[in-house]
């Protein structure tokens, strides 16, 4: 059984800095091993240019073993003799972790011969790497040309959550989108607008909407190349778009600065909006109260800095307290809910950063499309 997981964890000093992706992968592997499968696990780690030793998956074998509750063998390469001989030694119910698939540039190139070599290691392909499924790489997509492909448990959980939030939402359906750049999320905004009852915007992204309305934005982060897109999104939104009415400003994006709350349409020169203000928090709370479904992506302020985290904390708290179905996704958003002590209080926290965003854009992800075809 050849299983693609996303074990692309942050590493520090040769060890695993945050093992949430290992924990998320464990149920599928446990399940397969318990049923007596010979479980061969492949994953990427980082973006190695060649065989960078710092990006070896070897240190993860022990961690994975602990989470799964079984020994995990390791093969020094994902194809060739090290892989085939390790697979030959593997017994029913045992696990084998293959070395970083990205040590071979053929993985990202979705090279057919490389995919065939990977596929030759197993008899069935299980894609459990939701977080890598927006990539048409050999270990995610290519192998499915040679093996019957199925979804793993993490993949199924991610898809069920997205389906519930996007396709069969209990109404009212409210989305909160924040973060730095509108250009990276304009597809998400458009797609969500076709579904939601209200779209609340925070973060630096709001500045671009402010400027597009002709409001002064001081020294705040604005994407001047996205002003037309902001205008189009606002027009398309009808009355669904909710922008902050006030903002917390400082002169520099750093701790210890003097703070001032300003009306969103009156930000003074040299001051920058770094969080949503108290009236906006009240307005967002009001929209979130009674929501049947909430989708949240993007901190509404610079949540990494304590002084500018109040808005994200308050909005996160309001979503966490909601009786509706609550879906949270995005790398920085998930980091923020963990740092702010809100983890464990949402219906679903997605493990897919970029993959979740592409799904929220309404795109078909290649690593999921192959499962539908199978
Ligand atoms: P995610 O990874 O969850 O999709 P993003 O990457 O889009 O989220 O956005 C997170 C980033 O946006 C953080 O680095 C945060 O500091 C930044 N950000 C949020 N609000 C502001 C703001 N008002 N000014 C500058 N940066 C901001
Ligand atoms: Mg991010």
């Amino acid at each position: 059984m050849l299983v693609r997981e996303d074990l692309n964890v942050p590493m520090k000093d040769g060890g695993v800095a945050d093992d949430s992706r290992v924990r998320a992968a464990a149920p599928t592997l446990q399940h397969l091993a318990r049923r007596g499968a010979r479980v061969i696990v492949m994953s990427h780690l980082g973006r190695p240019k060649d065989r960078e030793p710092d990006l070896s998956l070897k240190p993860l074998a022990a961690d994975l073993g602990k989470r799964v509750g079984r020994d995990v063998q390791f093969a020094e390469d994902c194809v060739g003799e090290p892989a085939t001989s390790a697979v030959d030694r593997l017994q029913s119910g045992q696990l084998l972790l293959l070395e970083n698939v990205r040590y071979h540039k053929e993985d990202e190139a979705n090279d057919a011969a490389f995919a065939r070599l990977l596929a030759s290691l197993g008899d069935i392909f299980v894609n459990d790497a939701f977080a890598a499924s927006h990539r048409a790489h050999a270990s995610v997509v290519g192998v499915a040309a040679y093996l019957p492909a199925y979804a793993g448990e993490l993949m199924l959980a991610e898809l069920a959550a997205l389906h519930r939030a996007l396709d069969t939402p209990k109404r009212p359906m409210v989305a909160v989108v924040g973060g730095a750049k509108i250009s990276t999320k304009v597809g998400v905004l458009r797609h969500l607008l076709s579904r939601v009852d209200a779209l609340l915007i925070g973060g630096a992204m709001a500045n671009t909407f402010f400027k597009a309305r002709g409001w002064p934005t001081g020294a705040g982060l604005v994407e001047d190349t996205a002003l037309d897109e902001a205008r189009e999104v606002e027009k398309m939104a009808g009355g669904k778009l909710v922008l902050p009415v006030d903002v917390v400003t400082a002169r520099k994006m750093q701790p210890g600065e003097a703070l001032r709350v300003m009306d969103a349409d009156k930000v003074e020169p040299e001051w920058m909006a770094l969080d949503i203000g108290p009236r906006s928090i009240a307005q967002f709370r009001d929209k979130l109260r009674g929501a049947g479904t909430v989708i949240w992506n993007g901190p509404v302020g610079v949540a990494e800095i304590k002084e500018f985290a109040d808005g994200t904390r308050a909005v996160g708290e309001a979503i966490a307290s909601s009786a509706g179905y609550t879906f949270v996704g995005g790398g920085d958003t998930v980091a923020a809910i963990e740092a702010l002590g809100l983890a464990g209080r949402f219906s679903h926290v997605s493990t897919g950063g970029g993959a979740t965003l592409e799904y929220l854009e309404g795109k078909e992800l290649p690593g999921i499309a192959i499962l539908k075809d199978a």
Side-chain angles (χ1 to χ4, degrees):
M1 196 90 68
L2 186 62
V3 187
R4 178 62 156 94
E5 292 288 357
D6 187 329
L7 304 178
N8 184 30
V9 296
M11 303 290 282
K12 208 181 159 194
D13 307 324
V16 179
D18 169 9
D19 77 342
S20 30
R21 284 197 162 154
V22 177
R23 276 183 279 138
T28 298
L29 303 177
Q30 217 161 34
H31 190 153
L32 293 172
R34 276 205 195 118
R35 289 178 157 201
R38 300 157 75 222
V39 185
I40 304 154
V41 184
M42 40 181 190
S43 175
H44 71 286
L45 180 61
R47 296 167 177 265
K49 282 189 210 75
D50 42 55
R51 292 187 74 94
E52 287 174 45
D54 286 357
L55 294 175
S56 171
L57 280 169
K58 195 168 188 173
L60 263 87
D63 202 58
L64 191 60
K66 227 184 320 171
R67 294 291 173 195
V68 178
R70 293 183 185 234
D71 270 357
V72 175
Q73 310 295 312
F74 183 76
E76 305 282 342
D77 202 352
C78 65
V79 290
E81 201 279 325
T84 52
S85 65
V87 170
D88 285 342
R89 284 193 303 273
L90 202 63
Q91 306 284 315
S92 158
Q94 292 185 338
L95 292 100
L96 169 70
L97 175 63
L98 303 176
E99 182 57 285
N100 195 345
V101 289
R102 287 200 190 158
Y103 278 179
H104 298 265
K105 61 179 182 347
E106 292 87 349
D107 183 51
E108 291 185 73
N110 195 14
D111 178 83
F114 180 72
R116 178 172 231 147
L117 281 178
L118 287 172
S120 72
L121 301 173
D123 49 359
I124 284 175
F125 174 50
V126 175
N127 184 11
D128 203 29
F130 173 76
S133 287
H134 56 320
R135 307 288 187 211
H137 296 169
S139 58
V140 179
V141 166
V143 286
Y146 307 102
L147 294 175
Y150 297 91
E153 288 178 33
L154 174 60
M155 174 69 84
L156 290 174
E158 293 279 7
L159 293 179
L162 280 160
H163 180 64
R164 180 162 175 189
L166 274 179
D167 304 325
T168 56
K170 211 173 141 240
R171 297 199 177 265
M173 176 187 187
V174 180
V176 180
V177 182
K181 289 190 170 178
I182 184 174
S183 60
T184 58
K185 296 199 176 163
V186 69
V188 174
L189 297 179
R190 284 178 193 280
H191 189 65
L192 287 178
L193 274 174
S194 70
R195 316 228 162 181
V196 298
D197 300 296
L199 176 59
L200 319 186
I201 301 282
M205 191 186 297
N207 294 342
T208 303
F209 281 99
F210 296 158
K211 186 156 181 183
R213 283 181 173 182
W215 296 357
T217 46
L221 181 63
V222 172
E223 268 185 293
D224 283 311
T225 51
L227 292 171
D228 284 340
E229 263 168 338
R231 271 180 220 113
E232 271 171 44
V233 168
E234 182 152 14
K235 203 155 115 201
M236 165 187 177
K240 290 181 186 173
L241 199 71
V242 179
L243 290 174
V245 290
D246 60 351
V247 288
V248 175
T249 67
R251 268 176 295 215
K252 287 207 174 87
M253 193 195 296
Q254 61 186 36
E257 287 290 305
L259 306 181
R260 284 175 61 199
V261 175
M262 294 180 192
D263 288 345
D265 60 348
K266 293 187 191 66
V267 173
E268 293 173 25
E270 289 171 43
W271 291 79
M272 56 178 89
L274 294 168
D275 195 6
I276 60 171
R279 284 195 294 127
S280 306
I281 290 176
Q283 172 200 27
F284 279 28
R285 266 198 198 119
D286 198 48
K287 291 281 177 190
L288 288 164
R289 192 174 302 125
T293 307
V294 182
I295 297 179
W296 179 24
N297 166 259
V300 297
V302 182
E304 303 92 323
I305 300 176
K306 203 172 118 274
E307 282 95 327
F308 313 118
D310 288 353
T312 301
R313 184 185 297 103
V315 167
E317 182 69 43
I319 298 171
S321 308
S322 155
Y325 186 76
T326 54
F327 179 99
V328 184
D332 291 289
T333 315
V334 174
I337 63 171
E338 271 159 26
L340 297 172
L342 294 165
R345 295 181 55 199
F346 303 92
S347 307
H348 185 82
V349 177
S350 179
T351 59
T356 308
L357 284 176
E358 288 200 17
Y359 196 103
L360 292 177
E361 279 181 49
K363 285 191 187 158
E364 178 163 77
L365 311 192
I368 294 167
I370 49 137
L371 304 174
K372 287 189 191 135
D373 293 339

